Amino acid sequence: MESLVFAKGAAGQYFTDLVEACEDHFNRIYPECVNSTHHETVMCPPVFPFGYVAPTGQASGAKALTRVEEDTIRGDNAELKIFQLLEKYGQNTKQPMFVLTQLKLSEFSKNVLQQVLPADHPVLSKNFNGEIDFVIIHRRIGVILMEVKSKDKFSKSLQGEARKQVQKGEEIIHALLQADHRTGISIPVYKVIAMPNVADECRGNSDFIGLRGVHVRSDDHFNSWWKSMFVETEFEPEKQQKLQHLISVCVCQKSEVSSAVLASVCKKIATQNFLQKSYKKGMRDPGDRFQEVSRPADNWEQEILARQFLFLNPDQLRIWNGDSHMFFNGSSGSGKTILLQFKALKCAKASGEKVVVVVPLPLIALYKEFFAQNGISSEKIDVLSPVEFFHGSLFRNNDITSQFHFFADELQTFQTKLPDLFTLLETLMARFDASDCYCWIAYDYMQMNEDTISLDETGGICSAANLPLETQKLCDKFLSFQHASCLNTVVRSTLQIYSHLQLFIKKSLKDLFEKVILLEHIDDGTKQSWGRWVRRYEVSNHLGHHICGPSVAEFQDAYLDEVVEIIATEINKWTTQDCLHRVAVLVSTTFLKENLSQLMTMKGISFCDVGPKTNAVVLDYGHKAHSYEWPIVIAVSNDNDNRLCINYIMLTRAITRLVVIKSISTS
C-alpha cells in the first residue's frame, strides 16, 4: 500500500516520514544546531505566548512594576518569570538546549504520535488534554518537563494537578523515544513542579523535582538550583542521534513563523489589550474603578481616537482633556505623538480654522501620510519643518484675524536648526495667549541626539534637558499656557526592550556625568545641573503591560562584513522579503554608513533612507528617525564613538526585536 503523503518541504519536496520531514525543516531553520552538542539556548517560540496581556503598570492603576513582580507572581506572570530565568541562564552559561513553551498535549498526540506509532499502541487510546508549560530538551542532560502552578501558599491539589500533567508528558516523550522499536536507548526524563510563590521544599514523591519561590527570586538562586538538580553528561552517539530526532520533531511541531510571532506581539501593543482587560474588570467591580481607563468610543469628545487608539490610561486622559494651550513631555512610547496627532485631526475635522503641524524634517512624510489616511486634505492642514514655519510668513504675520491651530512634536530637536528657539516660542505664545485655538507642543526630555550633545568646550547640557525648565518659565510668563505633568507610563514596548533600555540609559547618563565632572573648565553650577538631570531619569516610569518579546541581542567588536551578516540573519529570521520595511538599521553619525550600504548592496539587501514607506530596509542615521516605529531595529555604532551607542532613544516604542552592534572601525 502506498504511503500517505502528509508533509511538503522546500522546493516542492514531499515527505511520507514525519521525522524525515521535521529534520529537513529543522536543518534549514537551525543549521548551526544540527547534530551539535555545542550551540546557544533556543527558545521556541522566542516570544512568550501570553494568553492575555496582564495590566501591571500605572496604566491600569496598579502598583509599580517592580512591586508587582515581587508580590504577585502568578498565572502567566509566573510562567513568564520562569521563561526569563531559563533564557538568561541558558544564554549566560551557553546551555545547548531547546526550551518549548506551552506544549499542547492533545495537538501533539494528534499531529505526532498518531503519525509515528502503530494504531494499536496503548498511548493512542488515552485522552491527553491540557499542556506542559515547559519542555526542555538538553543535549547533555536529557528531557526536563516543567509544570508551573502558582499560589500564595502550598496547595496539595495544585501539586496533584501538576503531577498528572508532567506524567502525561512523560508518557508521550517515552512513546516518541521508543517509536522506532529500538531497545537499550534510554534518555533521562526529569519532572519538575514549579511553584514560584511557595517557599517550602517539595513534598511527597521523590520522582518529582521542586522549583520553589526561593529559587526564582534571583539569578544566583536559580543557577544553584539548576546545578544541584541536573547532572550533565556526554551521551554516546546513539543517544545523541535519538535526542536530535526528538528535538527536530518537537521544535518543528511547535515553531511558528517568526514574522507572524512578531506581528502578534505588535498587534497586542497597538491595540492595548492590557487596558481592555483592566477596563472590563473595573466595570464589574463596585465603586469608581472603571475610571482607571477610558474607552474613547464611549465618549463623544474622545470619539476621534476610537479608530486606532482604543483606550487611554490616566496619564493620557489628563493630556487629552487638558487645556488648549499646553506643553507636555514624557518617555518614548508614552503616547505623546498619538495624542498630538489625533487632537490635530479632531481640530481639522471639527472646525473651519487652519491647522498647522510643525515637526522635524524626517517626520513630515509620516504626518502627511497620517492625515491623508484619515481623510484630511493638504488644504486644511499644513505640515511644516521648524525652519519653514518660524522663518515663514505664517509665523511672522501679526494679523490676529489669521487664526490657526498649532501643534509641534519633538520640540527637543528644534534647537539644532533654531538657536533662538526660546525667543521664537515666546513670540508664538504671545500670539496664542488670547486665542481660543489650540497650541500643543510635545517633547521628550530624555531623547538625546548626537547633534545636541556638547562636552568638548562648554560642557553644555543637551537642549532636551533644559526644556522642562525653560518651557515652565514661558508658562509662568503666559498664564494661559500650562505645562502638564510628565507622562510616566510606557505603553508601546515589550518587557525585554523596556528593561534593557532602562539599564542602558542610566549607565549612559552616568558615563556622561562622570566626563562632565572631570572637565576642570566647567563651573560647579553646570556640573550640579548635569547631576540633577541624571537623577531626573529616576522618575517613576512604568511599563503598562507584560508583553514579552524576543531577547535583546548585543554584538561587540564586529567587522563591517560581520555587521552585514548579522543584518541578513535578522531579516531572514524575523520577516519576509515582502515586509522588509519592518526592519530599520540605525547608525551613529561617526559610523561609516556609506561602507555599510555598499556591503548591503553586494549582499542583495534593499534599503532606503527614513521617509515614505517602501518595501526596503531603512538604513539611516538614528537621529533622523524621530517617532518612526519598526518591529525590528538594529542599532550600529563605531568603536571610536564614545557617545550613546543607541543614539536615538526611541527603543521603548513598539519594537519587539532589538539588536545592538558595536563595530570595529575599518577606516
Side-chain angles (χ1 to χ4, degrees), residues 553-577:
E554 296 186 73
F555 297 89
Q556 299 289 335
D557 302 328
Y559 289 99
L560 269 179
D561 56 345
E562 294 175 315
V563 173
V564 177
E565 288 298 329
I566 293 169
I567 293 170
T569 300
E570 292 297 313
I571 292 171
N572 292 333
K573 184 175 182 180
W574 294 111
T575 191
T576 57
Q577 285 300 311

Side-chain angles (χ1 to χ4, degrees), residues 53-68:
V53 185
T56 58
Q58 200 176 45
S60 64
K63 292 178 286 187
L65 182 62
T66 53
R67 252 324 262 296
V68 171

